[in-house]
Amino acid sequence: MVGRGPSARSSVDPFRVMQVLAAASARRATGAATYDLTAGQPSTPAPSAARALVHESLESQVLGYTPTPGIPALREGIAALYRDRYDLVVDPASVFVTTGSSSGFILSFLSAFDVGDVVAVVSPGYPAYRNTLQALGCEVLDLPCGPQTRYQPTVAMLEQRLAQGQRIDGLIIASPANPTGSMLAPDEVAALAAFCAARGIRLISDEIYHGITYGTRQQSCAWTTDRSGIVVNSFSKYFSMTGWRIGWLLVPEDLRTAVDALAGNLSICPPAISQIAALGALDAIAECDAHVQRYAANRRILIDGLASVGITDVAPPDGAFYVYADVSHLTDDSAVWVSRLLADTGVAIAPGIDFDLRRGHRFVRFSFAGSDMDVAATPAVLGEYLTR
Ligand SMILES: Cc1ncc(COP(=O)(O)O)c(C=O)c1O
């Protein structure tokens, strides 16, 4: 049709991290020195048990459609992960396997919210929450969070908004969070969950970085799924399987029929081969924990290295694999600064504007998920650049 163009709802911000990543990859392809601390993705492949099971299944199985909520053995295996990791009983019937947590978010938002519903989202935060909600016709309520609350929302913040007459239908929390890595303490998670349950606010807990923590105790909202909360998780990060596009939801009973119907229509089922890989990955806890030890070493190197070049104002990196740093002493436009840094030194990092539309121009995000060599080299390269 002539002149119709894209829908208004599709006018969402791009994910700028992916643009920096593409620029860094293009630079590396030319042979120029590149230190890529852009993406939140492990440099390691899927666990060996996952790959072994895939090899075997390619020869022995048809790999047709699976049940919409996932292969029963995988749903049971995920439920068992909650027993082993958190000592929590999870009903396999609440587990819905999804095409990455990204499609888990679409299913959560579509099943829980109507057009015009107001969903509170923390900034700085993962941009896809905001952009996906907007594309689906929801209203995003920005909750600016800073160092005073460890970049996390509080019950007091929500109470204040409600007292001002603000409508809130949903709340998304992430602990550990992207881009800050900061975590909510278990009692803070419990308080937010209780508050939401009492006020009829649908809580969506993004737990995709669970398993990647550095001493702080992680608390799953899995117990809230008996009532109203939705838990979102993924094999991408802890299990080192970003490209396999496989994740899961824990869905409360009142939403299961809706999620099943939506998932069946939107994608029929998650990819069969990735479900098989995920089944293998569940047996690879020791291998995945070894990756976390490597992240812990890189985290120390990066935090100390950044401090040595005067970048000391960082969010508490309790978990995940990011350092979110205030660089307002270096720039008031971190997007421009980041692209100059890449062009001049080969150091690739993410601008804060992706994660916080209002204050992100003062911040940048370093990821230490990738190559050890890139992480180790970055502080010296940065130090030399800053004294030029
Ligand atoms: C906080 C957070 N949630 C969700 C995702 C999406 O992950 P995936 O779709 O690979 O499961 C990411 C990816 O970086 C993330 O950082």
Side-chain angles (χ1 to χ4, degrees), residues 100-102 105 126 129 178 206 208-209 234 236-237 245 322:
S101 72
S102 300
F105 282 109
Y126 183 56
Y129 306 144
N178 179 5
D206 182 347
I208 173 170
Y209 291 105
S234 173
S236 288
K237 311 288 176 167
R245 311 308 303 127
Y322 307 114

Side-chain angles (χ1 to χ4, degrees), residues 82-228:
Y82 286 86
R83 184 197 57 216
D84 300 344
R85 195 185 257 177
Y86 313 96
D87 206 13
L88 277 172
V89 176
V90 162
D91 182 355
S94 70
V95 179
F96 282 70
V97 182
T98 57
T99 307
S101 72
S102 300
S103 85
F105 282 109
I106 297 172
L107 292 171
S108 305
F109 299 162
L110 280 173
S111 64
F113 305 124
D114 277 308
V115 169
D117 278 358
V118 180
V119 183
V121 170
V122 170
S123 61
Y126 183 56
Y129 306 144
R130 186 186 344 119
N131 295 335
T132 308
L133 283 164
Q134 271 169 11
L136 295 177
C138 294
E139 206 180 297
V140 175
L141 172 66
D142 187 38
L143 288 182
C145 294
Q148 305 79 2
T149 63
R150 301 171 56 80
Y151 293 89
Q152 290 285 356
T154 62
V155 167
M157 253 175 224
L158 298 169
E159 263 167 353
Q160 192 195 14
R161 295 300 181 112
L162 290 180
Q164 290 164 347
Q166 173 68 57
R167 173 179 156 191
I168 307 179
D169 300 294
L171 168 69
I172 303 179
I173 58 171
S175 170
N178 179 5
T180 59
S182 86
M183 289 173 70
L184 289 159
D187 60 325
E188 292 170 327
V189 174
L192 285 166
F195 181 84
C196 288
R199 303 283 187 303
I201 296 172
R202 184 75 70 174
L203 178 67
I204 298 182
S205 175
D206 182 347
E207 302 181 358
I208 173 170
Y209 291 105
H210 274 216
I212 309 176
T213 57
Y214 308 104
T216 307
R217 214 181 114 215
Q218 60 194 4
Q219 174 72 70
S220 173
C221 278
W223 88 93
T224 69
T225 53
D226 287 343
R227 289 179 294 174
S228 57

Side-chain angles (χ1 to χ4, degrees), residues 30-384:
T30 67
T34 308
Y35 313 93
D36 191 353
L37 278 65
T38 322
Q41 76 170 334
S43 56
T44 44
S48 45
R51 285 177 282 136
L53 207 54
V54 165
H55 278 298
E56 192 189 306
S57 310
L58 283 173
E59 299 306 324
S60 62
Q61 292 196 29
V62 172
L63 299 171
Y65 294 134
T66 73
T68 294
I71 298 169
L74 179 57
R75 299 175 79 195
E76 279 156 26
I78 290 169
L81 181 69
Y82 286 86
R83 184 197 57 216
D84 300 344
R85 195 185 257 177
Y86 313 96
D87 206 13
L88 277 172
V89 176
V90 162
D91 182 355
S94 70
V95 179
F96 282 70
V97 182
T98 57
T99 307
S101 72
S102 300
S103 85
F105 282 109
I106 297 172
L107 292 171
S108 305
F109 299 162
L110 280 173
S111 64
F113 305 124
D114 277 308
V115 169
D117 278 358
V118 180
V119 183
V121 170
V122 170
S123 61
Y126 183 56
Y129 306 144
R130 186 186 344 119
N131 295 335
T132 308
L133 283 164
Q134 271 169 11
L136 295 177
C138 294
E139 206 180 297
V140 175
L141 172 66
D142 187 38
L143 288 182
C145 294
Q148 305 79 2
T149 63
R150 301 171 56 80
Y151 293 89
Q152 290 285 356
T154 62
V155 167
M157 253 175 224
L158 298 169
E159 263 167 353
Q160 192 195 14
R161 295 300 181 112
L162 290 180
Q164 290 164 347
Q166 173 68 57
R167 173 179 156 191
I168 307 179
D169 300 294
L171 168 69
I172 303 179
I173 58 171
S175 170
N178 179 5
T180 59
S182 86
M183 289 173 70
L184 289 159
D187 60 325
E188 292 170 327
V189 174
L192 285 166
F195 181 84
C196 288
R199 303 283 187 303
I201 296 172
R202 184 75 70 174
L203 178 67
I204 298 182
S205 175
D206 182 347
E207 302 181 358
I208 173 170
Y209 291 105
H210 274 216
I212 309 176
T213 57
Y214 308 104
T216 307
R217 214 181 114 215
Q218 60 194 4
Q219 174 72 70
S220 173
C221 278
W223 88 93
T224 69
T225 53
D226 287 343
R227 289 179 294 174
S228 57
I230 303 178
V231 169
V232 184
N233 211 320
S234 173
F235 285 88
S236 288
K237 311 288 176 167
Y238 172 76
F239 290 101
S240 186
M241 292 174 62
T242 48
W244 295 79
R245 311 308 303 127
I246 194 87
W248 73 88
L249 296 174
L250 301 183
V251 180
E253 209 165 348
D254 63 327
L255 295 183
R256 285 181 206 159
T257 305
V259 169
D260 193 44
L262 286 163
N265 280 289
L266 290 175
S267 58
I268 302 184
C269 66
I273 196 67
S274 300
Q275 293 191 61
I276 286 165
L279 198 53
L282 288 172
D283 284 333
I285 299 301
E287 188 176 333
C288 297
D289 282 346
H291 295 328
V292 179
Q293 281 174 18
R294 191 173 62 79
Y295 304 143
N298 282 342
R299 170 180 175 273
R300 198 63 276 153
I301 289 169
L302 190 60
I303 293 172
D304 292 348
L306 291 178
S308 74
V309 301
I311 299 177
T312 50
D313 195 351
V314 301
D318 304 323
F321 25 54
Y322 307 114
V323 175
Y324 192 60
D326 186 335
V327 288
S328 49
H329 60 298
L330 300 173
T331 181
D332 58 7
D333 187 343
S334 63
V336 169
W337 191 75
V338 156
S339 55
R340 268 201 218 119
L341 180 70
L342 176 60
D344 293 349
T345 68
V347 170
I349 55 176
I353 193 76
D354 249 0
F355 311 101
D356 185 340
L357 293 176
R358 269 189 279 177
R359 298 166 301 167
H361 57 279
R362 297 197 276 115
F363 290 83
V364 294
R365 187 196 73 177
F366 297 82
S367 165
F368 53 87
S371 127
D372 297 355
M373 281 190 321
D374 286 3
V375 173
T378 291
V381 176
L382 208 50
E384 194 274 324

